[in-house]
Amino acid sequence: DSGVTQTPKHLITATGQRVTLRCSPRSGDLSVYWYQQSLDQGLQFLIQYYNGEERAKGNILERFSAQQFPDLHSELNLSSLELGDSALYFCASSVTSGEQFFGPGTRLTVL
Amino acid sequence: AQSVTQLDSQVPVFEEAPVELRCNYSSSVSVYLFWYVQYPNQGLQLLLKYLSGSTLVKGINGFEAEFNKSQTSFHLRKPSVHISDTAEYFCAVSESGGGADGLTFGKGTHLIIQP
């Protein structure tokens, strides 16, 4: 158990819908990262937050957004969903550069 | 920008044999290097990391890796594998320092242990 929690574990929705994925980092970790894992694209970095502020952006679509709240939990919002957005979404957290701890992931299925 | 190449998508190995999983990277800046393992239907677990110092890094479960700056490689090795090592292995790189350190992953190598 990495100490990073993600909810929900599974999510099934329809095209055009909007969903919110939630992540609670390890106690004391200020950085939160979001990654997408799909068969087509592999593991891709989406976005990083540090202590409530956006720190780095990766291959995140404009339809996706994220935020980190004062209690350090983070949410990833996915809107206007397409079939190709079906993937595993991982959250990771770290206290400093050098090691990220991954959550168990949320499996999103868009029908 | 960084990139990671894992040269083998699948590596079949007999139980108790040695194994090497290859990883090459490219980057215009200094990097940190990582190997993660993913068991079926699970998240990613860190095997080992290179941040600085000794180029030979030892990790969990008997794995080790060697950082070779001139060849921009970070190959993962284990002298004797077990059935329980069957998993997907990912090499990853991040920019060192600066705090913006999203990981860039390779496409993964599926290690298949044959009895």
Side-chain angles (χ1 to χ4, degrees), chain A residues 72-97:
Chain A
L72 300 177
H73 91 271
S74 178
E75 291 180 356
L76 179 67
N77 300 297
L78 315 176
S79 61
S80 302
L81 284 167
E82 302 174 359
L83 295 177
D85 297 328
S86 295
L88 255 175
Y89 290 85
F90 287 109
C91 168
S93 73
S94 72
V95 60
T96 62
S97 290

Side-chain angles (χ1 to χ4, degrees), chain B residues 15-93:
Chain B
E15 197 172 13
E16 298 183 6
V19 69
E20 179 181 81
L21 305 184
R22 297 180 292 169
C23 172
N24 287 88
Y25 71 94
S26 69
S27 177
S28 56
V29 298
S30 295
V31 296
Y32 294 148
L33 293 156
F34 308 85
W35 276 99
Y36 281 85
V37 61
Q38 185 177 30
Y39 299 103
N41 300 313
Q42 292 189 30
L44 293 150
Q45 181 182 8
L46 181 69
L47 277 177
L48 48 77
K49 61 188 176 188
Y50 172 79
L51 305 183
S52 65
S54 172
T55 57
L56 183 61
V57 179
K58 292 192 184 297
I60 62 170
N61 301 341
F63 284 94
E64 64 179 34
E66 185 152 21
F67 170 54
N68 187 318
K69 190 173 181 179
S70 62
Q71 297 188 7
T72 60
S73 68
F74 191 55
H75 300 333
L76 181 71
R77 301 185 184 100
K78 186 169 183 178
S80 175
V81 296
H82 303 284
I83 288 285
S84 58
D85 292 323
T86 297
E88 193 82 17
Y89 291 79
F90 293 95
C91 181
V93 63

Side-chain angles (χ1 to χ4, degrees), chain A residues 22-94:
Chain A
R22 182 187 168 101
C23 167
S24 293
R26 294 187 322 153
S27 176
D29 285 0
L30 298 178
S31 272
V32 169
Y33 310 77
W34 286 97
Y35 294 87
Q36 180 195 60
Q37 184 177 32
S38 66
L39 286 174
D40 292 345
Q41 304 291 329
L43 266 163
Q44 288 198 98
F45 166 63
L46 297 179
I47 196 163
Q48 175 194 1
Y49 275 80
Y50 178 83
N51 203 21
E53 301 284 329
E54 184 183 302
R55 177 63 65 93
K57 257 184 176 177
N59 297 324
I60 189 165
L61 299 172
E62 284 194 17
R63 300 184 285 109
F64 296 0
S65 65
Q67 54 185 327
Q68 187 179 27
F69 295 87
D71 67 353
L72 300 177
H73 91 271
S74 178
E75 291 180 356
L76 179 67
N77 300 297
L78 315 176
S79 61
S80 302
L81 284 167
E82 302 174 359
L83 295 177
D85 297 328
S86 295
L88 255 175
Y89 290 85
F90 287 109
C91 168
S93 73
S94 72

